[in-house]
Each structure stands twice: as structure tokens, then as C-alpha cells.
Amino acid sequence: MSKQMPWEAYPHIWKTESSFMSWIRGGIRAGLWNKHPVKLEFIKKNRIQIPNPNPKGKKPTVWGAECALTGNIVPINQIQVDHKVGNHSLQSIDDVQSFIEAIVLVNDNDLQLVSKDAHSVKSYSEKMGITFEEAVVEKKVIAFAKLPAKEQTKILTDILGESIITSLNAKVKRIEVYRKFLKGGNNVSG
């Protein structure tokens, strides 16, 4: 007799294997990774005092860190501990052991401090199989694509001038022109 999988036994809780695996990933991150002693010690060893970025702040300095991906100095509340080698897969039950090992069997050489924004870009680049720089552009394009047409047109007018914008009625065309601009293309007109 084969063992029934949780999403099969409890479809009212987990509708699919994917939703069950998502629950497992969240539990591992919240329970093991967020409280991992090596991670917490890594933060303490690598944090620095920085000028308080809050003009209304009572203290002249706060804890911060340098983002390993961008070099920017940011407050500690904008920093995350990243696995240098990321993109660990947890898509099926067969992946559980290797995922846990990759997440928790770490030392200082496996980790880096990165800003939340840079971490998001790095994760996107790994997921999409593109460079960090390409992912920066694509994340900006995604944000641009979500803007209303009037805001897109204003941004493009501000950076490219009025003459080119009159021919950009279609959203797809505006997004492509913006992508070309971000990539440094000289011929953004089409």
C-alpha cells in the first residue's frame, strides 16, 4: 500500500503539490533559516555603524551593512543574509533533504549581506537564468509596465523628449522603448 501524499489526503488544505511545497518552503525559512545561529552571528560580525538615515532619528548612528551585490551601505533593517549560491529548488518531496541541507548547512563563506532590493533582483536573475544586470533592467521594466499609460508616457517624455513619444500609443511599444532606454540603446525610436 503506497502512502497518500498530504495534498491528496487533505485537498481542502493543500489544493496541489505545489501549494504543499510552498508551505514547506515557508516553514523551513521561518523556522530554521530565520533563527539560524550561524546566520544571526554572521549579521553581528558584519554589521557596521552608519549615519542615521532618519532625519528625525534620536541616535546619530544606527546599525547597517554594505550590500555585497551593489556596494551600497544601507540600514540593517534593509539587509538580508543571502546564500551566495542560491536558487535552491523545492518543487517536490524528493527535493526536501537537499533543500534543507543547502539552507542550513552553511558557514560564513557561504553567506553574504545584501539589500532587500538587490536580493530580489538576484533571485529573479537566478530564476530567469539571466545576469544580475539584466535582471535589474527587467525588474524596472516590470514596474514600468504596471504603471498607467499616462505615467508611462510622462516618464518616457521626461527621458526621451516629446517628439518620440507621440508615436507610442501602444503599451507594448512604450515598454519596449523603455527597455531599450534602460539597456543604453541609442536608437530607442523603434
Side-chain angles (χ1 to χ4, degrees):
M1 183 171 145
S2 77
K3 187 174 183 177
Q4 192 175 27
M5 290 294 142
W7 58 91
E8 295 166 340
Y10 302 98
H12 60 286
I13 298 174
W14 300 288
K15 301 209 181 313
T16 63
E17 179 181 13
S18 178
S19 64
F20 179 77
M21 299 316 298
S22 180
W23 175 75
I24 293 284
R25 272 191 304 276
I28 292 168
R29 288 186 178 126
L32 292 175
W33 178 241
N34 287 345
K35 299 171 186 164
H36 196 305
V38 173
K39 171 190 168 187
L40 299 176
E41 184 178 302
F42 185 78
I43 294 169
K44 284 182 184 176
K45 286 194 294 191
N46 291 285
R47 65 187 180 174
I48 56 175
Q49 284 286 308
I50 64 170
N52 191 340
N54 180 356
K56 296 180 182 179
K58 295 182 175 152
K59 298 179 180 181
T61 62
V62 295
W63 288 111
E66 180 179 353
C67 174
L69 298 173
T70 65
N72 296 336
I73 305 292
V74 297
I76 206 75
N77 66 354
Q78 295 175 26
I79 285 287
Q80 295 178 335
V81 179
D82 174 47
H83 292 77
K84 289 179 184 177
V85 177
N87 205 18
H88 305 293
S89 178
L90 184 52
Q91 302 298 316
S92 73
I93 293 293
D94 295 336
D95 299 333
V96 172
Q97 181 176 345
S98 63
F99 182 82
I100 291 173
E101 288 175 358
I103 295 295
V104 301
L105 299 180
V106 294
N107 61 50
D108 288 0
N109 295 329
D110 301 319
L111 305 174
Q112 60 187 358
L113 296 178
V114 297
S115 71
K116 289 178 181 179
D117 290 341
H119 197 193
S120 172
V121 172
K122 178 182 179 253
S123 295
Y124 184 79
S125 74
E126 290 170 342
K127 178 181 176 184
M128 302 307 288
I130 58 178
T131 67
F132 184 83
E133 294 73 20
E134 290 168 327
V136 168
V137 169
E138 289 307 311
K139 293 281 274 183
K140 288 179 181 179
V141 169
I142 290 167
F144 177 82
K146 292 178 182 178
L147 297 173
K150 281 187 176 185
E151 288 184 51
Q152 290 177 355
T153 301
K154 181 180 179 341
I155 290 168
L156 291 174
T157 300
D158 290 348
I159 59 178
L160 301 174
E162 187 70 37
S163 61
I164 195 171
I165 304 309
T166 56
S167 66
L168 300 178
N169 292 330
K171 182 176 183 176
V172 172
K173 185 76 167 169
R174 287 191 304 272
I175 292 168
E176 189 53 38
V177 166
Y178 187 68
R179 180 178 284 114
K180 285 182 182 179
F181 168 76
L182 291 174
K183 289 182 175 182
N186 293 332
N187 182 14
V188 295
S189 61

